[in-house]
Coordinates of all heavy atoms in Angstrom, one line a residue:
M1 N 42.0 -11.9 29.6 CA 40.9 -12.7 30.1 C 40.8 -13.9 29.2 O 40.4 -13.8 28.0 CB 39.6 -12.0 30.1 CG 39.6 -10.8 31.0 SD 37.9 -10.3 31.0 CE 37.7 -9.9 32.7
A2 N 41.2 -15.0 29.7 CA 41.2 -16.3 28.9 C 39.8 -16.7 28.6 O 38.9 -16.6 29.5 CB 42.0 -17.3 29.6
G3 N 39.5 -17.3 27.5 CA 38.2 -17.8 27.2 C 37.2 -16.8 26.6 O 36.1 -17.2 26.1
R4 N 37.5 -15.5 26.6 CA 36.6 -14.5 26.0 C 37.0 -14.4 24.5 O 38.1 -14.3 24.2 CB 36.7 -13.2 26.7 CG 36.1 -13.2 28.1 CD 36.1 -11.9 28.7 NE 34.9 -11.2 28.2 CZ 34.5 -10.0 28.5 NH1 35.3 -9.3 29.3 NH2 33.5 -9.4 28.1
S5 N 35.9 -14.2 23.8 CA 36.2 -14.0 22.4 C 35.3 -12.8 21.9 O 34.3 -12.4 22.6 CB 35.9 -15.2 21.5 OG 34.5 -15.5 21.6
S6 N 35.7 -12.2 20.9 CA 34.9 -11.1 20.4 C 34.6 -11.3 18.9 O 35.3 -12.1 18.2 CB 35.7 -9.7 20.6 OG 36.9 -9.8 19.8
A7 N 33.6 -10.6 18.4 CA 33.2 -10.8 17.0 C 33.1 -9.4 16.4 O 32.7 -8.4 17.1 CB 32.0 -11.6 16.9
R8 N 33.4 -9.3 15.2 CA 33.1 -8.0 14.5 C 32.2 -8.3 13.3 O 32.2 -9.4 12.8 CB 34.5 -7.5 13.9 CG 35.4 -7.0 14.9 CD 36.6 -6.5 14.2 NE 37.4 -5.7 15.1 CZ 38.1 -4.7 14.8 NH1 38.1 -4.3 13.5 NH2 38.7 -4.0 15.7
F9 N 31.4 -7.4 13.1 CA 30.5 -7.6 11.9 C 30.3 -6.2 11.2 O 30.5 -5.2 11.8 CB 29.1 -8.2 12.3 CG 28.3 -7.2 13.1 CD1 27.3 -6.4 12.5 CD2 28.4 -7.2 14.5 CE1 26.5 -5.6 13.2 CE2 27.6 -6.3 15.3 CZ 26.7 -5.5 14.6
T10 N 30.0 -6.3 10.0 CA 29.7 -5.1 9.2 C 28.3 -5.2 8.7 O 27.8 -6.2 8.1 CB 30.7 -5.1 7.9 OG1 32.0 -5.1 8.4 CG2 30.4 -3.8 7.1
L11 N 27.5 -4.1 8.9 CA 26.2 -4.0 8.5 C 26.1 -3.2 7.2 O 26.6 -2.1 7.1 CB 25.3 -3.4 9.6 CG 23.8 -3.2 9.3 CD1 23.2 -4.5 9.1 CD2 23.2 -2.4 10.4
F12 N 25.4 -3.8 6.2 CA 25.2 -3.1 5.0 C 23.8 -2.7 4.9 O 22.9 -3.6 4.6 CB 25.6 -4.0 3.8 CG 27.1 -4.4 3.8 CD1 27.5 -5.6 4.3 CD2 28.0 -3.6 3.3 CE1 28.8 -6.0 4.3 CE2 29.4 -3.9 3.3 CZ 29.8 -5.2 3.8
P13 N 23.4 -1.5 5.2 CA 22.0 -1.1 5.4 C 21.2 -1.3 4.1 O 20.0 -1.8 4.2 CB 22.1 0.4 5.7 CG 23.5 0.7 6.2 CD 24.3 -0.4 5.5
N14 N 21.7 -1.0 2.9 CA 20.9 -1.2 1.7 C 20.6 -2.7 1.5 O 19.5 -3.1 1.1 CB 21.6 -0.6 0.5 CG 21.6 0.9 0.6 OD1 20.8 1.5 1.3 ND2 22.5 1.5 -0.2
Q15 N 21.6 -3.5 1.7 CA 21.3 -5.0 1.6 C 20.4 -5.5 2.6 O 19.5 -6.3 2.3 CB 22.7 -5.7 1.7 CG 22.5 -7.2 1.5 CD 23.8 -8.0 1.6 OE1 24.9 -7.4 1.6 NE2 23.8 -9.3 1.6
A16 N 20.5 -5.0 3.9 CA 19.5 -5.5 4.9 C 18.1 -5.0 4.6 O 17.2 -5.8 4.8 CB 20.0 -4.9 6.3
R17 N 18.0 -3.8 4.1 CA 16.6 -3.3 3.7 C 16.0 -4.1 2.6 O 14.9 -4.5 2.7 CB 16.8 -1.8 3.3 CG 15.4 -1.1 3.3 CD 15.6 0.4 3.0 NE 16.5 1.0 4.0 CZ 17.7 1.5 3.8 NH1 18.2 1.5 2.7 NH2 18.3 2.1 4.8
E18 N 16.8 -4.5 1.6 CA 16.3 -5.2 0.5 C 16.0 -6.7 0.9 O 15.0 -7.2 0.5 CB 17.4 -5.3 -0.7 CG 16.9 -5.8 -2.0 CD 15.7 -5.0 -2.5 OE1 15.6 -3.8 -2.3 OE2 14.9 -5.6 -3.3
E19 N 16.8 -7.3 1.7 CA 16.5 -8.6 2.2 C 15.2 -8.6 3.1 O 14.4 -9.5 3.0 CB 17.6 -9.2 3.1 CG 18.8 -9.5 2.2 CD 20.0 -10.1 3.0 OE1 19.8 -10.4 4.2 OE2 21.1 -10.1 2.4
A20 N 15.0 -7.6 3.8 CA 13.7 -7.4 4.6 C 12.5 -7.3 3.7 O 11.5 -7.9 4.0 CB 13.8 -6.3 5.6
R21 N 12.7 -6.5 2.7 CA 11.6 -6.3 1.7 C 11.2 -7.7 1.1 O 10.0 -8.0 1.0 CB 12.0 -5.4 0.6 CG 11.6 -3.9 0.8 CD 12.0 -3.0 -0.3 NE 12.2 -3.5 -1.6 CZ 11.3 -3.6 -2.6 NH1 10.0 -3.2 -2.3 NH2 11.6 -4.0 -3.8
H22 N 12.2 -8.4 0.7 CA 11.9 -9.7 0.0 C 11.3 -10.7 1.1 O 10.4 -11.5 0.8 CB 13.1 -10.3 -0.6 CG 13.5 -9.7 -1.9 ND1 12.8 -10.0 -3.1 CD2 14.3 -8.7 -2.2 CE1 13.3 -9.2 -4.1 NE2 14.2 -8.4 -3.6
A23 N 11.8 -10.7 2.3 CA 11.3 -11.6 3.3 C 9.9 -11.3 3.7 O 9.1 -12.2 4.1 CB 12.2 -11.6 4.5
S24 N 9.5 -10.0 3.6 CA 8.1 -9.6 4.0 C 7.1 -9.6 2.9 O 6.0 -9.2 3.1 CB 8.2 -8.2 4.7 OG 8.6 -7.2 3.7
T25 N 7.5 -10.0 1.7 CA 6.6 -9.8 0.6 C 5.3 -10.6 0.8 O 4.2 -10.1 0.5 CB 7.3 -10.3 -0.7 OG1 8.4 -9.5 -1.0 CG2 6.4 -10.2 -1.9
R26 N 5.4 -11.8 1.2 CA 4.1 -12.6 1.4 C 3.2 -11.9 2.4 O 2.0 -11.9 2.2 CB 4.5 -14.0 1.9 CG 3.3 -14.9 2.0 CD 3.6 -16.3 2.4 NE 4.8 -16.8 1.8 CZ 5.6 -17.7 2.4 NH1 5.4 -18.1 3.6 NH2 6.7 -18.1 1.8
D27 N 3.7 -11.4 3.5 CA 2.9 -10.7 4.5 C 2.3 -9.4 3.9 O 1.2 -9.1 4.2 CB 3.7 -10.4 5.8 CG 4.0 -11.7 6.5 OD1 3.3 -12.7 6.4 OD2 5.0 -11.7 7.3
R28 N 3.1 -8.7 3.1 CA 2.6 -7.5 2.5 C 1.5 -7.7 1.5 O 0.6 -7.0 1.4 CB 3.8 -6.6 1.9 CG 4.7 -6.1 3.1 CD 5.8 -5.2 2.6 NE 6.8 -5.9 1.8 CZ 7.0 -5.7 0.5 NH1 6.3 -4.8 -0.2 NH2 7.9 -6.4 -0.1
I29 N 1.6 -8.8 0.8 CA 0.6 -9.2 -0.2 C -0.7 -9.5 0.6 O -1.8 -9.1 0.2 CB 1.0 -10.5 -1.0 CG1 2.1 -10.1 -2.0 CG2 -0.2 -11.0 -1.7 CD1 2.7 -11.3 -2.7
K30 N -0.6 -10.2 1.7 CA -1.8 -10.5 2.6 C -2.5 -9.2 3.0 O -3.7 -9.0 2.9 CB -1.4 -11.3 3.8 CG -2.6 -11.7 4.6 CD -2.1 -12.6 5.8 CE -3.3 -12.8 6.7 NZ -2.9 -13.4 8.0
V31 N -1.7 -8.2 3.5 CA -2.2 -6.9 3.9 C -2.9 -6.2 2.8 O -4.0 -5.6 2.9 CB -1.1 -6.1 4.6 CG1 -1.6 -4.7 4.9 CG2 -0.7 -6.7 5.9
A32 N -2.2 -6.2 1.6 CA -2.8 -5.5 0.4 C -4.1 -6.2 0.0 O -5.0 -5.5 -0.4 CB -1.8 -5.6 -0.7
E33 N -4.2 -7.5 0.1 CA -5.5 -8.2 -0.2 C -6.6 -7.8 0.8 O -7.7 -7.6 0.4 CB -5.3 -9.7 -0.3 CG -4.5 -10.1 -1.5 CD -4.0 -11.6 -1.4 OE1 -4.1 -12.2 -0.4 OE2 -3.6 -12.1 -2.5
E34 N -6.2 -7.6 2.0 CA -7.2 -7.2 3.0 C -7.7 -5.7 2.7 O -8.8 -5.4 2.8 CB -6.6 -7.2 4.4 CG -6.4 -8.6 5.0 CD -5.6 -8.6 6.3 OE1 -5.3 -7.5 6.8 OE2 -5.3 -9.7 6.7
I35 N -6.7 -4.9 2.4 CA -7.0 -3.5 2.0 C -8.0 -3.5 0.8 O -9.0 -2.8 0.8 CB -5.8 -2.7 1.7 CG1 -5.0 -2.5 3.0 CG2 -6.1 -1.4 1.0 CD1 -3.6 -1.9 2.8
A36 N -7.7 -4.2 -0.2 CA -8.5 -4.3 -1.4 C -9.9 -4.8 -1.1 O -10.9 -4.2 -1.6 CB -7.8 -5.1 -2.5
A37 N -10.0 -5.8 -0.3 CA -11.3 -6.4 0.0 C -12.1 -5.4 0.8 O -13.3 -5.2 0.6 CB -11.1 -7.7 0.8
D38 N -11.5 -4.7 1.8 CA -12.2 -3.7 2.6 C -12.7 -2.5 1.7 O -13.8 -2.0 1.8 CB -11.3 -3.2 3.7 CG -12.0 -2.3 4.7 OD1 -13.2 -2.3 4.8 OD2 -11.3 -1.5 5.4
A39 N -11.8 -2.1 0.8 CA -12.1 -1.0 -0.1 C -13.3 -1.3 -1.0 O -14.2 -0.5 -1.2 CB -10.9 -0.6 -0.9
K40 N -13.2 -2.6 -1.6 CA -14.3 -3.0 -2.5 C -15.7 -3.0 -1.7 O -16.7 -2.7 -2.2 CB -14.1 -4.4 -3.0 CG -13.1 -4.4 -4.1 CD -12.9 -5.8 -4.7 CE -11.9 -5.8 -5.9 NZ -11.9 -7.0 -6.6
A41 N -15.6 -3.5 -0.4 CA -16.8 -3.6 0.4 C -17.4 -2.2 0.7 O -18.6 -2.1 0.9 CB -16.5 -4.3 1.7
N42 N -16.6 -1.2 0.7 CA -17.0 0.2 1.1 C -17.1 1.2 -0.1 O -17.5 2.3 0.1 CB -16.1 0.8 2.1 CG -16.2 0.0 3.5 OD1 -17.3 -0.1 4.0 ND2 -15.1 -0.5 3.9
A43 N -16.8 0.7 -1.3 CA -16.8 1.6 -2.5 C -18.3 1.9 -2.9 O -19.1 1.0 -2.9 CB -16.1 1.0 -3.6
P44 N -18.6 3.1 -3.2 CA -19.9 3.5 -3.7 C -20.1 2.8 -5.1 O -19.1 2.7 -5.8 CB -19.9 5.0 -3.7 CG -18.5 5.4 -3.8 CD -17.7 4.3 -3.1
I45 N -21.3 2.5 -5.4 CA -21.5 1.8 -6.7 C -22.5 2.6 -7.5 O -23.7 2.7 -7.1 CB -22.0 0.4 -6.5 CG1 -21.1 -0.4 -5.6 CG2 -22.3 -0.3 -7.8 CD1 -21.6 -1.7 -5.1
L46 N -22.0 3.1 -8.6 CA -22.9 3.8 -9.6 C -22.9 2.9 -10.8 O -23.9 2.3 -11.2 CB -22.4 5.2 -9.9 CG -23.3 6.0 -10.9 CD1 -24.8 6.1 -10.3 CD2 -22.8 7.3 -11.1
T47 N -21.7 2.7 -11.4 CA -21.5 1.8 -12.5 C -20.8 0.5 -12.1 O -20.8 -0.5 -12.8 CB -20.7 2.4 -13.7 OG1 -19.4 2.7 -13.2 CG2 -21.3 3.7 -14.1
G48 N -20.1 0.5 -11.0 CA -19.3 -0.6 -10.5 C -17.9 -0.6 -11.0 O -17.0 -1.4 -10.5
D49 N -17.5 0.4 -11.8 CA -16.1 0.5 -12.4 C -15.1 0.8 -11.2 O -14.0 0.2 -11.2 CB -16.0 1.6 -13.4 CG -16.8 1.2 -14.7 OD1 -17.1 0.0 -14.9 OD2 -17.1 2.1 -15.5
Y50 N -15.5 1.7 -10.3 CA -14.6 2.1 -9.2 C -14.3 0.8 -8.4 O -13.2 0.5 -8.1 CB -15.2 3.2 -8.5 CG -14.5 3.8 -7.3 CD1 -13.1 4.1 -7.4 CD2 -15.1 4.0 -6.1 CE1 -12.5 4.6 -6.3 CE2 -14.5 4.6 -5.0 CZ -13.1 4.9 -5.1 OH -12.5 5.4 -4.0
R51 N -15.4 0.2 -7.9 CA -15.2 -1.0 -7.0 C -14.5 -2.1 -7.8 O -13.6 -2.7 -7.2 CB -16.6 -1.4 -6.6 CG -16.6 -2.7 -5.7 CD -17.9 -3.5 -5.7 NE -18.3 -3.8 -7.1 CZ -19.5 -4.0 -7.5 NH1 -20.5 -3.9 -6.6 NH2 -19.8 -4.3 -8.7
D52 N -15.0 -2.4 -9.0 CA -14.4 -3.6 -9.7 C -13.0 -3.4 -10.2 O -12.3 -4.3 -10.5 CB -15.3 -3.9 -10.9 CG -16.7 -4.3 -10.4 OD1 -16.9 -4.7 -9.3 OD2 -17.7 -4.3 -11.3
G53 N -12.5 -2.1 -10.2 CA -11.2 -1.8 -10.7 C -10.1 -2.0 -9.6 O -8.9 -2.0 -9.8
I54 N -10.6 -2.2 -8.3 CA -9.6 -2.3 -7.2 C -9.0 -3.7 -7.2 O -9.7 -4.7 -7.2 CB -10.4 -2.1 -5.9 CG1 -10.9 -0.7 -5.8 CG2 -9.4 -2.3 -4.7 CD1 -11.8 -0.4 -4.6
S55 N -7.7 -3.8 -7.2 CA -7.0 -5.1 -7.1 C -5.6 -4.9 -6.5 O -5.2 -3.8 -6.2 CB -6.9 -5.6 -8.5 OG -6.1 -4.8 -9.4
V56 N -4.9 -6.0 -6.4 CA -3.5 -6.0 -5.9 C -2.6 -6.4 -7.0 O -2.8 -7.3 -7.8 CB -3.4 -7.0 -4.7 CG1 -1.9 -7.1 -4.3 CG2 -4.3 -6.7 -3.6
E57 N -1.5 -5.6 -7.2 CA -0.5 -5.9 -8.1 C 0.8 -6.2 -7.4 O 1.2 -5.5 -6.5 CB -0.3 -4.7 -9.1 CG -1.4 -4.5 -10.0 CD -1.1 -3.4 -11.0 OE1 0.0 -2.7 -11.0 OE2 -2.0 -3.1 -11.9
V58 N 1.5 -7.2 -7.9 CA 2.8 -7.7 -7.3 C 3.8 -7.7 -8.4 O 3.5 -8.4 -9.4 CB 2.6 -9.0 -6.6 CG1 4.0 -9.5 -6.0 CG2 1.6 -9.0 -5.5
D59 N 4.9 -7.1 -8.2 CA 6.0 -7.1 -9.2 C 7.3 -7.3 -8.4 O 7.9 -6.4 -7.8 CB 6.1 -5.8 -9.9 CG 7.2 -5.8 -11.0 OD1 7.7 -6.9 -11.3 OD2 7.5 -4.7 -11.5
G60 N 7.7 -8.6 -8.3 CA 8.9 -8.9 -7.4 C 8.5 -8.7 -6.0 O 7.6 -9.3 -5.4
A61 N 9.3 -7.8 -5.3 CA 9.0 -7.4 -3.9 C 8.1 -6.2 -3.8 O 7.8 -5.8 -2.7 CB 10.3 -7.2 -3.2
D62 N 7.7 -5.6 -4.9 CA 6.8 -4.5 -4.9 C 5.4 -4.9 -4.8 O 4.9 -5.8 -5.7 CB 7.0 -3.6 -6.1 CG 8.4 -2.9 -6.2 OD1 9.0 -2.7 -5.1 OD2 8.9 -2.7 -7.3
V63 N 4.6 -4.4 -3.9 CA 3.2 -4.8 -3.7 C 2.4 -3.5 -3.7 O 2.7 -2.5 -2.9 CB 3.0 -5.5 -2.4 CG1 1.5 -5.9 -2.2 CG2 3.9 -6.8 -2.4
A64 N 1.3 -3.4 -4.4 CA 0.5 -2.2 -4.5 C -1.0 -2.5 -4.6 O -1.4 -3.5 -5.3 CB 0.9 -1.3 -5.6
V65 N -1.8 -1.7 -4.0 CA -3.3 -1.8 -4.2 C -3.6 -0.7 -5.3 O -3.2 0.4 -5.1 CB -4.1 -1.5 -2.9 CG1 -5.6 -1.5 -3.2 CG2 -3.7 -2.5 -1.8
V66 N -4.2 -1.1 -6.4 CA -4.5 -0.2 -7.5 C -5.9 -0.2 -7.8 O -6.7 -1.0 -7.4 CB -3.6 -0.6 -8.7 CG1 -2.1 -0.6 -8.4 CG2 -4.0 -2.0 -9.2
D67 N -6.3 0.8 -8.6 CA -7.7 0.8 -9.2 C -7.5 1.2 -10.7 O -6.9 2.2 -11.0 CB -8.5 1.9 -8.5 CG -10.0 1.7 -8.8 OD1 -10.3 1.4 -10.0 OD2 -10.8 1.8 -7.9
T68 N -8.1 0.3 -11.6 CA -7.9 0.5 -13.0 C -9.0 1.4 -13.6 O -8.9 1.7 -14.8 CB -7.9 -0.9 -13.7 OG1 -9.1 -1.6 -13.4 CG2 -6.7 -1.7 -13.3
D69 N -10.0 1.8 -12.8 CA -11.0 2.7 -13.3 C -10.3 4.0 -13.7 O -9.6 4.6 -12.9 CB -12.1 3.0 -12.3 CG -13.1 4.0 -12.7 OD1 -13.1 4.4 -13.9 OD2 -13.9 4.4 -11.8
P70 N -10.4 4.5 -15.0 CA -9.8 5.8 -15.3 C -10.1 7.0 -14.5 O -9.4 7.9 -14.4 CB -10.2 6.0 -16.8 CG -10.7 4.6 -17.3 CD -11.2 3.9 -16.1
D71 N -11.3 6.9 -13.9 CA -11.8 8.1 -13.1 C -11.5 7.8 -11.6 O -11.9 8.6 -10.8 CB -13.3 8.3 -13.3 CG -13.5 8.8 -14.7 OD1 -12.7 9.5 -15.3 OD2 -14.6 8.4 -15.3
S72 N -10.8 6.8 -11.2 CA -10.6 6.4 -9.8 C -9.9 7.5 -9.0 O -10.2 7.7 -7.9 CB -10.0 5.1 -9.7 OG -8.6 5.1 -10.2
I73 N -9.0 8.2 -9.7 CA -8.2 9.2 -9.0 C -9.2 10.3 -8.4 O -9.0 10.7 -7.3 CB -7.1 9.8 -9.9 CG1 -6.2 10.7 -9.1 CG2 -7.7 10.6 -11.0 CD1 -5.1 10.0 -8.3
W74 N -10.2 10.7 -9.2 CA -11.1 11.7 -8.8 C -12.1 11.1 -7.7 O -12.5 11.8 -6.8 CB -11.9 12.2 -10.0 CG -11.0 12.7 -11.1 CD1 -10.9 12.1 -12.3 CD2 -9.9 13.7 -11.0 NE1 -9.9 12.7 -13.0 CE2 -9.3 13.7 -12.3 CE3 -9.5 14.5 -10.0 CZ2 -8.3 14.5 -12.6 CZ3 -8.5 15.4 -10.3 CH2 -7.9 15.4 -11.6
K75 N -12.5 9.9 -7.9 CA -13.4 9.2 -7.0 C -12.8 9.0 -5.6 O -13.4 9.1 -4.6 CB -13.9 7.9 -7.6 CG -14.8 8.1 -8.8 CD -15.1 6.8 -9.5 CE -15.9 7.1 -10.8 NZ -16.1 5.8 -11.6
E76 N -11.5 8.6 -5.7 CA -10.8 8.4 -4.4 C -10.4 9.7 -3.7 O -10.6 9.8 -2.5 CB -9.5 7.6 -4.7 CG -8.7 7.2 -3.5 CD -9.3 6.2 -2.6 OE1 -10.2 5.5 -3.0 OE2 -8.8 6.1 -1.5
F77 N -9.8 10.6 -4.4 CA -9.2 11.8 -3.8 C -10.1 13.1 -3.9 O -9.8 14.1 -3.2 CB -7.8 12.1 -4.3 CG -6.9 11.0 -3.9 CD1 -6.4 10.1 -4.9 CD2 -6.5 10.8 -2.6 CE1 -5.6 9.0 -4.5 CE2 -5.6 9.8 -2.2 CZ -5.2 8.9 -3.2
G78 N -11.1 13.1 -4.8 CA -11.9 14.2 -5.0 C -11.4 15.2 -6.0 O -10.3 15.0 -6.6
S79 N -12.1 16.3 -6.2 CA -11.7 17.4 -7.1 C -12.1 18.7 -6.4 O -12.6 18.7 -5.3 CB -12.3 17.2 -8.4 OG -13.7 17.4 -8.4
S80 N -11.9 19.8 -7.2 CA -12.4 21.1 -6.7 C -13.9 21.1 -6.6 O -14.4 22.0 -5.9 CB -11.9 22.2 -7.6 OG -12.4 22.0 -8.9
K81 N -14.6 20.2 -7.2 CA -16.1 20.3 -7.2 C -16.7 19.2 -6.4 O -17.9 19.2 -6.2 CB -16.6 20.1 -8.6 CG -16.1 21.3 -9.5 CD -16.6 21.2 -10.9 CE -16.1 22.4 -11.7 NZ -16.5 22.3 -13.1
M82 N -15.9 18.2 -5.9 CA -16.5 17.1 -5.1 C -15.5 16.5 -4.1 O -14.3 16.6 -4.4 CB -17.0 16.0 -6.0 CG -16.0 15.2 -6.7 SD -16.7 13.9 -7.7 CE -15.3 12.7 -7.7
A83 N -16.0 16.0 -3.0 CA -15.1 15.3 -2.0 C -14.8 13.9 -2.5 O -15.6 13.3 -3.3 CB -15.8 15.3 -0.7
G84 N -13.7 13.4 -2.1 CA -13.3 12.0 -2.4 C -14.0 11.0 -1.5 O -14.4 11.3 -0.4
H85 N -14.1 9.8 -2.0 CA -14.6 8.7 -1.2 C -13.6 8.0 -0.3 O -13.9 7.5 0.7 CB -15.3 7.6 -2.1 CG -16.4 8.2 -2.9 ND1 -17.6 8.5 -2.4 CD2 -16.5 8.5 -4.2 CE1 -18.5 9.0 -3.3 NE2 -17.8 9.0 -4.4
A86 N -12.4 8.0 -0.8 CA -11.2 7.6 0.0 C -11.3 6.1 0.5 O -10.8 5.8 1.6 CB -10.9 8.5 1.1
V87 N -11.9 5.2 -0.2 CA -12.1 3.9 0.3 C -10.8 3.1 0.4 O -10.5 2.4 1.3 CB -13.2 3.1 -0.5 CG1 -14.6 3.7 -0.3 CG2 -12.8 2.9 -1.9
I88 N -9.9 3.3 -0.6 CA -8.6 2.6 -0.6 C -7.7 3.3 0.5 O -7.1 2.6 1.3 CB -7.9 2.6 -1.9 CG1 -8.8 1.9 -3.0 CG2 -6.5 2.0 -1.9 CD1 -8.3 2.0 -4.4
T89 N -7.7 4.6 0.5 CA -6.9 5.3 1.5 C -7.3 5.0 2.9 O -6.5 4.7 3.8 CB -7.1 6.9 1.3 OG1 -6.7 7.2 -0.1 CG2 -6.2 7.6 2.2
D90 N -8.6 5.0 3.2 CA -9.1 4.7 4.5 C -8.8 3.2 4.9 O -8.4 2.9 6.1 CB -10.6 4.9 4.7 CG -10.9 6.4 4.6 OD1 -10.0 7.2 4.8 OD2 -12.1 6.7 4.4
A91 N -8.9 2.3 4.0 CA -8.6 0.9 4.3 C -7.1 0.8 4.6 O -6.7 0.0 5.5 CB -9.0 0.0 3.1
A92 N -6.2 1.5 3.8 CA -4.8 1.4 4.1 C -4.4 2.1 5.4 O -3.6 1.5 6.2 CB -4.0 2.2 3.0
R93 N -5.1 3.2 5.8 CA -4.8 3.8 7.0 C -5.2 2.9 8.2 O -4.6 3.0 9.3 CB -5.7 5.1 7.1 CG -5.1 6.3 6.4 CD -6.0 7.5 6.6 NE -5.6 8.6 5.8 CZ -6.3 9.6 5.5 NH1 -7.6 9.6 5.8 NH2 -5.9 10.6 4.8
A94 N -6.2 2.1 8.0 CA -6.7 1.2 9.1 C -5.7 0.1 9.4 O -5.8 -0.5 10.4 CB -8.1 0.7 8.8
R95 N -4.8 -0.1 8.5 CA -3.9 -1.2 8.6 C -2.4 -0.8 8.8 O -1.5 -1.6 8.7 CB -4.0 -2.1 7.4 CG -5.2 -2.9 7.5 CD -5.6 -3.6 6.2 NE -6.8 -4.4 6.3 CZ -8.0 -3.9 6.3 NH1 -8.2 -2.6 6.2 NH2 -9.1 -4.6 6.5
G96 N -2.2 0.5 9.1 CA -0.8 0.9 9.4 C -0.5 2.3 8.9 O -1.4 3.1 8.7
K97 N 0.7 2.6 8.8 CA 1.2 3.9 8.4 C 0.9 4.1 7.0 O 1.2 3.3 6.1 CB 2.7 3.9 8.7 CG 3.3 5.3 8.6 CD 4.8 5.2 9.0 CE 5.4 6.5 9.1 NZ 6.8 6.5 9.5
Y98 N 0.3 5.3 6.7 CA 0.0 5.7 5.3 C 0.7 6.9 5.0 O 0.6 7.9 5.7 CB -1.5 5.8 5.2 CG -1.9 6.4 3.8 CD1 -2.0 5.5 2.7 CD2 -2.2 7.7 3.6 CE1 -2.4 6.0 1.5 CE2 -2.6 8.2 2.4 CZ -2.6 7.3 1.3 OH -3.0 7.8 0.1
R99 N 1.4 6.9 3.8 CA 2.2 8.1 3.4 C 1.8 8.7 2.1 O 2.5 9.4 1.5 CB 3.7 7.7 3.4 CG 4.3 7.2 4.6 CD 5.8 7.0 4.5 NE 6.1 6.2 3.3 CZ 6.6 5.1 3.2 NH1 7.0 4.4 4.3 NH2 6.9 4.5 2.1
G100 N 0.6 8.3 1.6 CA 0.2 8.8 0.3 C -0.5 10.1 0.3 O -0.5 10.9 1.3
W101 N -1.2 10.3 -0.8 CA -2.0 11.6 -0.9 C -3.1 11.6 0.1 O -3.6 10.6 0.6 CB -2.6 11.6 -2.3 CG -1.7 11.8 -3.4 CD1 -0.3 11.9 -3.4 CD2 -2.0 12.0 -4.8 NE1 0.2 12.1 -4.6 CE2 -0.8 12.2 -5.5 CE3 -3.2 12.1 -5.5 CZ2 -0.8 12.4 -6.9 CZ3 -3.2 12.3 -6.8 CH2 -2.0 12.4 -7.5
K102 N -3.5 12.8 0.4 CA -4.7 13.1 1.3 C -5.9 13.4 0.5 O -5.9 14.2 -0.4 CB -4.4 14.3 2.2 CG -3.1 14.1 3.0 CD -3.4 13.4 4.3 CE -2.2 13.5 5.3 NZ -1.2 12.5 5.1
P103 N -7.0 12.7 0.8 CA -8.3 13.0 0.0 C -8.8 14.3 0.3 O -8.7 14.9 1.4 CB -9.2 11.9 0.5 CG -8.4 10.9 1.3 CD -7.2 11.6 1.7
R104 N -9.5 14.9 -0.6 CA -10.2 16.2 -0.4 C -11.5 15.9 0.3 O -12.2 15.1 -0.1 CB -10.5 16.8 -1.8 CG -11.0 18.2 -1.7 CD -11.2 18.7 -3.2 NE -11.5 20.1 -3.1 CZ -10.5 21.1 -3.2 NH1 -9.3 20.7 -3.4 NH2 -10.9 22.3 -3.2
T105 N -11.7 16.7 1.4 CA -12.9 16.5 2.1 C -13.9 17.6 2.0 O -13.5 18.7 1.5 CB -12.6 16.3 3.6 OG1 -11.8 17.4 4.1 CG2 -11.8 15.0 3.8

């Protein structure tokens, strides 16, 4: 068949995944900022440490919503003696797939 051409290509999955991570960093930062704002708005306030510790950290293509309050792990996820508040977890769940820890209810 004259005039037909074909093309071959090789897909490198790890390279494609890394390029997608870098290309999506700006959008993931925006989502993380929305999560942090929602979590701050819904955080219970006793001293303000839990709410005020919520922020977004960016390291290259890595984006994370964090809380610097030393007790935030217990406030977020609970303990054997109390249920968690799960404000960061719930805000993340509202914006997509969440694969993290489950809060104690």
Side-chain angles (χ1 to χ4, degrees):
M1 298 188 142
R4 288 187 84 181
S5 62
S6 62
R8 289 180 166 217
F9 70 93
T10 303
L11 178 63
F12 298 98
N14 291 339
Q15 182 179 350
R17 194 174 302 114
E18 193 60 25
E19 287 179 16
R21 267 179 23 89
H22 283 281
S24 67
T25 300
R26 187 177 319 146
D27 291 335
R28 290 184 294 114
I29 291 170
K30 182 180 174 190
V31 171
E33 289 171 345
E34 291 172 3
I35 290 168
D38 189 21
K40 283 183 177 189
N42 291 304
I45 303 169
L46 184 59
T47 65
D49 293 343
Y50 181 47
R51 177 202 58 207
D52 297 341
I54 298 170
S55 64
V56 175
E57 288 185 357
V58 179
D59 182 14
D62 295 331
V63 180
V65 178
V66 300
D67 196 318
T68 58
D69 175 10
D71 295 326
S72 64
I73 190 82
W74 310 115
K75 295 171 183 174
E76 180 72 15
F77 296 107
S79 70
S80 62
K81 297 179 182 177
M82 68 176 206
H85 298 290
V87 295
I88 298 171
T89 304
D90 290 345
R93 284 181 182 158
R95 284 166 179 79
K97 192 173 184 180
Y98 175 79
R99 299 183 316 241
W101 290 5
K102 302 274 190 276
R104 186 178 193 93
T105 54

